[in-house]
Amino acid sequence: MLGTTEAKQTTHEWLEKYTARPTANTGSVEGFEATFSDLARPSRRRNVTQIINETFKVSETTRAVDHAGMADPFAYERDEAMKRWKNRQEFALVRGAISSGASGTTQTLAGIEATITSHYTARLSGTSLSESELNAMQLDIAQDVGDEEVGDYLLTTLQLRQKISTFTAGNTRYVDADTYKLHRKVMVYEADFGPIRIFGHKDVSVSAATPGPRVLLLKEDKWKIAYLTNRRPKYKELPDNGDFRAGMIVGELTLEFLAERANAQRSGYNSAG
């Protein structure tokens, strides 16, 4: 669901700037002489690109025999490799830890969990997730950057997503006219500073160990996937050096965060909510 942009170097840099809010009501006298304050310089942010690849191969025997319900086993394996590639990309974007990639080692990007630091609260282990916790996360952001940049997109564990579905303020009940069954589904929680879309995500940290399961409140349009020039994921044929055909899905990308303070993160919740 994130937008995309282009990275032109393996160390990707961009500018981040916030507009300061007034802290007092001031005016100017009649006939005033203009004075000037130093402008706040944008902050330079950085992340590094990460190469992700998925290889696969199919024996010539497998390609030669008939397969029920499968026209081309090689095409099938290529599609499966692309799915695995996207899963690895998703995991890196959520939970990646930055590594500069010294000689002979892998360079890895900083993901969302590692990036949100300004509004990160580690709750006591076993804390119960509540409606007041979600509202407090929005308040932390609103007091810092203003209402227009408050997080509106929540990623959390599948278990905590189930917990949120029990919140009364966001509960919606409806009757399916075809089956006459009563359903309850919470996709949007009406919080104090605007609606929050709720998504359970399999890659959000769920471990009961410190710091424990977490929730990520994001401002969706402040995050982008930056693909290195001409390095979006693509299929590449590998050399034929045996009785098989082999291929690879490869791409290189990083995560760009345009307003880190517009997001919040809390951890330490009871894994069951």
Side-chain angles (χ1 to χ4, degrees):
M1 297 181 69
L2 303 185
T4 61
T5 186
E6 182 183 27
K8 297 184 178 181
Q9 299 288 343
T10 55
T11 297
H12 180 52
E13 294 187 324
W14 63 94
L15 297 179
E16 180 184 55
K17 186 178 185 300
Y18 298 95
T19 301
R21 295 178 62 82
T23 58
N25 182 27
T26 59
S28 301
V29 300
E30 183 177 341
F32 74 93
E33 182 177 339
T35 59
F36 302 90
S37 301
D38 292 336
L39 295 177
R41 299 287 298 173
S43 300
R44 186 172 292 275
R45 293 290 210 164
R46 64 180 290 272
N47 206 343
V48 298
T49 60
Q50 176 176 333
I51 300 171
I52 300 176
N53 82 90
E54 275 290 334
T55 58
F56 62 99
K57 68 177 182 179
V58 177
S59 72
E60 293 297 344
T61 299
T62 299
R63 297 184 65 206
V65 300
D66 288 336
H67 294 270
M70 185 185 301
D72 184 352
F74 187 81
Y76 171 81
E77 292 297 338
R78 182 176 57 199
D79 291 345
E80 289 298 303
M82 187 69 230
K83 293 176 184 177
R84 295 194 301 271
W85 190 96
K86 292 180 71 174
N87 284 339
R88 290 181 59 190
Q89 176 198 41
E90 191 90 351
F91 189 92
L93 291 172
V94 174
R95 292 176 61 177
I98 193 167
S99 172
S100 59
S103 179
T105 62
T106 301
Q107 179 168 282
T108 55
L109 61 86
I112 293 172
E113 290 186 357
T115 298
I116 302 174
T117 57
S118 296
H119 302 298
Y120 173 50
T121 303
R123 308 296 285 167
L124 293 175
S125 179
T127 298
S128 180
L129 179 60
S130 64
E131 296 178 58
S132 61
E133 288 284 314
L134 297 186
N135 287 313
M137 292 175 73
Q138 276 198 331
L139 178 61
D140 287 345
I141 300 170
Q143 290 177 322
D144 193 8
V145 299
D147 296 351
E148 71 282 357
E149 292 188 331
V150 172
D152 55 9
Y153 177 91
L154 190 83
L155 289 185
T156 189
T157 68
L158 301 181
Q159 295 88 343
L160 292 180
R161 168 64 178 79
Q162 289 184 312
K163 171 68 175 182
I164 295 171
S165 71
T166 68
F167 291 174
T168 56
N171 254 342
T172 301
R173 288 180 177 268
Y174 63 94
V175 175
D176 188 316
D178 295 326
T179 64
Y180 299 102
K181 291 182 178 179
L182 182 65
H183 296 268
R184 180 174 64 189
K185 188 175 183 180
V186 177
M187 291 299 293
V188 177
Y189 175 76
E190 293 292 339
D192 290 344
F193 293 88
I196 302 175
R197 289 169 297 154
I198 312 294
F199 293 89
H201 197 291
K202 62 185 181 299
D203 294 330
V204 175
S205 293
V206 69
S207 173
T210 303
R214 65 186 65 202
V215 292
L216 308 168
L217 181 58
L218 312 177
K219 184 63 176 173
E220 184 183 344
D221 60 1
K222 301 300 183 183
W223 301 87
K224 291 186 182 297
I225 301 170
Y227 291 101
L228 190 61
T229 305
N230 298 322
R231 293 282 278 168
R232 287 176 177 265
K234 59 185 176 182
Y235 164 71
K236 184 176 182 179
E237 189 88 10
L238 294 181
D240 180 2
N241 61 352
D243 189 32
F244 58 84
R245 183 182 176 190
M248 174 174 64
I249 307 296
V250 62
E252 188 166 359
L253 65 138
T254 191
L255 177 67
E256 186 176 291
F257 41 100
L258 301 174
E260 182 269 329
R261 283 159 45 195
N263 309 273
Q265 173 178 195
R266 293 195 176 195
S267 65
Y269 296 108
N270 184 319
S271 60

